[in-house]
Amino acid sequence: MSPEQVRGKELDGRTDLFSFGAVLYEMCTGTLPFQGDTSGVIFEAILNRAPVAPVRLNPQIPVRLEEIINKLLEKDREVRCQSGAELKADLKRLQRDTNSSATSQLSAAQASSASVVQRPEKKWQIPVAIAAALVLIFGFLFAFVLSRRGTSSQVTHPLATTRRLTSNPAENPLAASAISPDGKYLAYADKTGTYLRLMATGETHSLLSDKFDIQFLSWFPDSTRLLLSFQPSPSAKMSLAVMSILGGTPRQLSDEGWSARVSPDGSQIVCLKASTNYGETGAEIWLMSADGSNARKIVTPPSLGITFASPAWSPDSRSIAYDTLRFGTYTNEGTVEILRLADGTKSTLVNSSDLGWGVLWLPDGRVIYVLAEANPTHLQNTSNFWAVPVDPSTGRSTAAPARLTSGEDFVDHATVTSDGKKIVFNRCKVQLDVYLAEFSSKSPRLSTPRRLTLDNADDVPLDWTSDDRSVLFLSTRSQGGNIFDIFKQAIDQNTADLLVSSPEQKQIARLSSDGSQIIYLVPPGEQTAVRQTRPDTQNKQEIVRLMRSPIQGGPSQLILQGPDIVNFQCARAPAHRCILARGEAKNYIFVEFDPMSGAQHEVLRLPQTSAGWNWTLSPDGSTLATLELSSANQQIRLAPLIGQPQRSVTVKDWSAFTSIDWAADGQGFFVSSNPSGRVSTLLYVDLAGNAHPLWKVKNFQASWAIPSHNGKYVAMPAPTTECNAWLAENF
């Protein structure tokens, strides 16, 4: 069913073309383009979701055929395929460009299928041109499959056989796991310590106590020693060490290093350094000898915002593959790159905005990488492993990629045996929940946080109601786990009230200064964004909308729209100022806006930093506080909006800040520090730069604190994580 049919609008021939595109998608991939457990969920997907790219589900699909399918499934019929004649012409061009073998088989297939298609059937209302297109496409697909049969095994390549190795509950998720090169041992770590398990019998021995809190594990080629990374203290960097499986105290190789791998010849170690606060990533790739000596930097980011993940050795120890990632506010970029150590040349193996962290180079020459994919039952992305053969001399792929695993939730931390027959990896599920705690600025300290939201969905706190009785938060609970809607929940209640629900995705929701209006961002999307073109560059911009909805109920209305809006915040009564930020290539533009009229004017311009859009408006609306990095310390920049000079507050002994929120009394800040990218520490920082740790949470993301107006409470996001080790074979 087309989007216009879902909306009950007038239909035309382009409606039939959309439905034909859905059938063609299923023919090519074996699955429906829009899925869900209920008609409501399916309708929402038809209106707002792009289907998984056909070539990801069936790599044998020609690029041109995928383009035709995408053209048929355009949600806006003004840019959809306009007629059966246009479709027929596209298909004929596709036929013309097919190789001679496929063309001859195509002719036979057309002849054999023509009688079926041309039989009159009164209940079908398909235009003649579409019927002709059906003949072409059925024939082409049949011919294409025949022409490829026997020349490549990737279409029918079976998925790996997988089974779970550990059974850790959500209260004790696995932090790291690694299979030994000889396949005899599984090393793994969780909250209780680090362990060694015999794969054959399941017999398990303790290696380290929980005081080390191991976050990464890998093996030396001789299967007698382990590389491990842990954080000596909450404010310290991730340390890299080595230890024997016979026990003893780990010996430090470097005061910083993670995602480390030993070369197959046992001579060198590659690792990440310079945390970027994005989980298992770093801003630098380093090489050192196996004993930790001769350490040198080999890869640095070419521009601001680039981060690296999962360096992996080639079987001959001459090259390194790794992820290169750029995480944007609304879009991501990702590549798998190959670095040849002898001459320093690089090549791009994979290019995908869906790339996750996780690279492995198998002994047979295939490179394993991770792709995220939409999970129709939950907003949290699912990800799985894919494999692509590589020519080691060029660093280029020699065949189309093939999917290796299938399953929900996300995968990472893969290791492989030296014979290439077994892979062990982590499969994890993370759910964000709202926690509540009482705060005292005198100490400063938090009471023991308690979980406020008790549902099975992602919940993200962003503001409080004016009476300090309820928390305003985003949640995926109401629309099948795909769309964030806006809720409030009283601090003494177990259930929440739905405030704003619509098919549009919502990102960031806060209250106006007087508490009467809910203001929220609608990010760029296929149905919600207005596309504009810059006359000078002809580059398309996706427009972000800022909306408002009365907290007492009523329809949402547009406040304003524009490109690159990344954040906004309003002062608290009796102040009434609201500020939004727009991101440009080198600057952040701060704009004051009226939430009722939409009037706006620029008030400040600051250079963009690696801290991104993390800023906060003081409760009285007078000053912006932003995060910035110096050479030695993390700093908070205070930028008055009127009449006063800017100044910086240096925070000693802490680094890698990921969020900042002003305390209710304006005398300090709640800041998240995550030097390892794995453990987030919530700090209270006063105006003199003194930092006081309040709460530590294992989390890739920031664990920010939103204070109530009276300063008595804070609302915080924290994850519930379930993570276990899995074994993959027969791939």
Side-chain angles (χ1 to χ4, degrees):
M1 185 180 293
S2 66
E4 58 266 25
Q5 196 167 355
V6 172
R7 292 191 169 96
K9 294 186 177 181
E10 184 179 349
L11 310 181
D12 56 28
R14 294 171 295 181
T15 302
D16 291 333
L17 292 174
F18 183 97
S19 300
F20 173 65
V23 174
L24 181 56
Y25 182 101
E26 186 175 6
M27 289 171 59
C28 293
T29 65
T31 186
L32 294 168
F34 309 105
Q35 302 182 45
D37 295 331
T38 67
S39 58
V41 174
I42 295 172
F43 287 167
E44 194 281 329
I46 291 171
L47 291 173
N48 300 304
R49 303 292 169 191
V52 176
V55 74
R56 285 184 53 189
L57 301 175
N58 180 2
Q60 295 287 47
I61 296 173
V63 172
R64 181 62 186 134
L65 179 55
E66 183 179 60
E67 291 174 355
I68 292 172
I69 295 172
N70 291 338
K71 185 178 177 182
L72 290 166
L73 293 178
E74 283 281 357
K75 299 183 187 300
D76 181 359
R77 54 180 155 181
E78 294 301 323
V79 294
R80 192 182 303 158
C81 183
Q82 295 294 293
S83 68
E86 179 182 339
L87 173 62
K88 180 180 179 180
D90 288 342
L91 294 167
K92 278 185 172 293
R93 278 191 292 270
L94 178 62
Q95 177 187 13
R96 181 192 62 194
D97 297 337
T98 310
N99 62 53
S100 57
S101 172
T103 302
S104 61
Q105 293 171 347
L106 171 61
S107 300
Q110 285 180 263
S112 64
S113 62
S115 60
V116 177
V117 177
Q118 292 170 358
R119 266 183 276 176
E121 180 60 55
K122 293 183 179 179
K123 65 181 180 181
W124 286 80
Q125 303 296 323
I126 304 178
V128 174
I130 298 182
L134 279 168
V135 175
L136 283 170
I137 198 65
F138 273 86
F140 174 80
L141 286 174
F142 178 66
F144 182 78
V145 171
L146 288 179
S147 69
R148 300 291 289 183
R149 187 172 294 166
T151 64
S152 173
S153 62
Q154 293 200 9
V155 169
T156 58
H157 193 285
L159 294 175
T161 303
T162 60
R163 62 183 175 92
R164 193 171 68 176
L165 297 178
T166 61
S167 300
N168 286 44
E171 293 75 18
N172 184 30
L174 207 70
S177 66
I179 191 170
S180 61
D182 60 13
K184 294 181 179 179
Y185 304 105
L186 172 70
Y188 67 93
D190 56 29
K191 289 182 178 179
T192 66
T194 304
Y195 302 91
L196 192 68
R197 176 185 295 180
L198 287 169
M199 294 288 290
T201 65
E203 181 182 353
T204 303
H205 302 275
S206 175
L207 283 178
L208 291 170
S209 70
D210 58 354
K211 76 173 185 177
F212 285 96
D213 195 16
I214 302 300
Q215 297 297 312
F216 295 94
L217 287 166
S218 62
W219 288 83
F220 279 76
D222 60 9
S223 297
T224 66
R225 292 171 294 162
L226 282 162
L227 273 179
L228 38 88
S229 295
F230 59 93
Q231 201 172 357
S233 69
S235 62
K237 300 175 182 178
M238 191 80 75
S239 176
L240 180 63
V242 60
M243 75 169 295
S244 168
I245 63 173
L246 299 178
T249 302
R251 179 174 61 84
Q252 181 172 296
L253 295 177
S254 173
D255 61 356
E256 184 182 17
W258 57 93
S259 290
R261 306 275 187 179
V262 185
S263 59
D265 63 12
S267 65
Q268 298 185 91
I269 295 172
V270 65
C271 70
L272 298 176
K273 291 189 179 186
S275 172
T276 58
N277 312 320
Y278 291 111
E280 300 172 18
T281 66
E284 300 167 355
I285 301 179
W286 283 66
L287 204 63
M288 65 184 75
S289 299
D291 60 0
S293 63
N294 194 29
R296 59 203 184 276
K297 189 189 310 181
I298 58 172
V299 183
T300 56
S303 61
L304 186 69
I306 296 290
T307 185
F308 306 113
S310 311
W313 288 96
S314 63
D316 60 7
S317 301
R318 295 178 179 178
S319 300
I320 294 170
Y322 55 90
D323 290 317
T324 297
L325 305 166
R326 185 196 295 270
F327 299 105
T329 305
Y330 301 115
T331 58
N332 298 330
E333 301 172 13
T335 60
V336 177
E337 294 187 351
I338 305 288
L339 169 67
R340 285 179 291 281
L341 296 175
D343 57 13
T345 57
K346 299 177 184 177
S347 58
T348 298
L349 179 64
V350 177
N351 191 329
S352 174
S353 61
D354 296 322
L355 197 69
W357 53 71
V359 177
L360 199 62
W361 207 324
L362 300 183
D364 63 10
R366 288 180 292 167
V367 168
I368 306 297
Y369 60 96
V370 174
L371 284 181
E373 53 202 51
N375 182 341
T377 64
H378 198 266
L379 187 72
Q380 171 67 49
N381 276 343
T382 288
S383 66
N384 278 288
F385 290 106
W386 286 66
V388 60
V390 177
D391 181 345
S393 64
T394 65
R396 304 289 184 181
S397 60
T398 59
R403 188 188 183 106
L404 202 67
T405 62
S406 177
E408 293 188 352
D409 308 319
F410 69 88
V411 297
D412 70 356
H413 215 82
T415 55
V416 64
T417 53
S418 57
D419 61 9
K421 294 183 177 180
K422 295 180 179 180
I423 293 176
V424 165
F425 61 94
N426 291 350
R427 187 173 282 282
C428 307
K429 177 180 180 180
V430 178
Q431 173 185 300
L432 286 175
D433 303 302
V434 179
Y435 281 74
L436 193 69
E438 293 188 21
F439 172 68
S440 171
S441 60
K442 294 180 180 179
S443 304
R445 63 178 179 82
L446 285 183
S447 66
T448 301
R450 66 175 177 89
R451 183 173 166 183
L452 179 67
T453 54
L454 303 176
D455 60 312
N456 186 27
D458 283 326
D459 301 318
V460 183
L462 289 161
D463 210 343
W464 286 77
T465 55
S466 300
D467 59 8
D468 292 325
R469 295 182 57 187
S470 300
V471 178
L472 187 81
F473 62 96
L474 295 173
S475 177
T476 60
R477 67 183 68 187
S478 62
Q479 297 194 54
N482 288 302
I483 298 293
F484 272 115
D485 284 327
I486 304 172
F487 291 78
K488 71 172 181 178
Q489 182 170 332
I491 60 176
D492 58 353
Q493 299 293 320
N494 294 324
T495 58
D497 298 322
L498 176 61
L499 300 179
V500 179
S501 179
S502 66
E504 307 168 322
Q505 189 60 272
K506 301 155 200 72
Q507 183 169 322
I508 306 178
R510 310 187 197 274
L511 291 176
S512 59
S513 297
D514 62 6
S516 67
Q517 301 290 319
I518 303 167
I519 305 174
Y520 61 94
L521 279 180
V522 175
E526 299 231 6
Q527 293 298 314
T528 60
V530 178
R531 297 180 183 271
Q532 293 184 344
T533 302
R534 291 177 179 166
D536 55 337
T537 63
Q538 299 299 308
N539 290 328
K540 289 184 177 179
Q541 291 182 300
E542 292 187 307
I543 302 303
V544 182
R545 294 193 291 167
L546 194 62
M547 308 291 293
R548 72 168 185 267
S549 179
I551 194 169
Q552 299 301 329
S556 295
Q557 293 180 301
L558 177 69
I559 300 174
L560 56 87
Q561 61 185 12
D564 308 318
I565 301 175
V566 294
N567 194 11
F568 72 92
Q569 191 173 355
C570 292
R572 291 180 168 179
H576 59 273
R577 173 176 281 155
C578 292
I579 300 291
L580 64 81
R582 289 194 174 102
E584 292 187 345
K586 296 182 179 180
N587 298 291
Y588 278 101
I589 313 301
F590 293 91
V591 175
E592 183 172 353
F593 69 94
D594 186 320
M596 300 308 294
S597 69
Q600 52 184 309
H601 65 278
E602 182 178 329
V603 294
L604 186 66
R605 185 175 291 236
L606 294 176
Q608 190 175 142
T609 71
S610 59
W613 55 268
N614 287 296
W615 57 271
T616 182
L617 179 65
S618 61
D620 64 5
S622 66
T623 307
L624 285 172
T626 68
L627 296 176
E628 59 181 11
L629 291 173
S630 69
S631 59
N633 297 291
Q634 187 91 43
Q635 293 184 324
I636 299 172
R637 175 185 291 184
L638 302 182
L641 296 178
I642 297 177
Q644 299 292 324
Q646 297 182 19
R647 68 184 182 92
S648 293
V649 176
T650 299
V651 185
K652 300 175 183 178
D653 302 324
W654 290 87
S655 62
F657 290 173
T658 55
S659 74
I660 181 169
D661 289 279
W662 219 300
D665 60 5
Q667 299 304 304
F669 311 93
F670 297 105
V671 176
S672 295
S673 172
N674 201 333
S676 69
R678 306 273 289 192
V679 180
S680 180
T681 301
L682 179 65
L683 308 171
Y684 175 78
V685 179
D686 61 30
L687 294 177
N690 301 306
H692 306 268
L694 301 175
W695 195 33
K696 185 174 75 171
V697 179
K698 283 195 174 182
N699 193 0
F700 294 151
Q701 304 172 3
S703 296
W704 62 81
I706 306 294
S708 59
H709 293 69
N710 59 16
K712 183 178 179 180
Y713 301 100
V714 292
M716 305 168 290
T720 299
T721 304
E722 183 178 324
C723 197
N724 278 286
W726 287 69
L727 174 69
E729 299 177 284
N730 305 316
F731 48 84

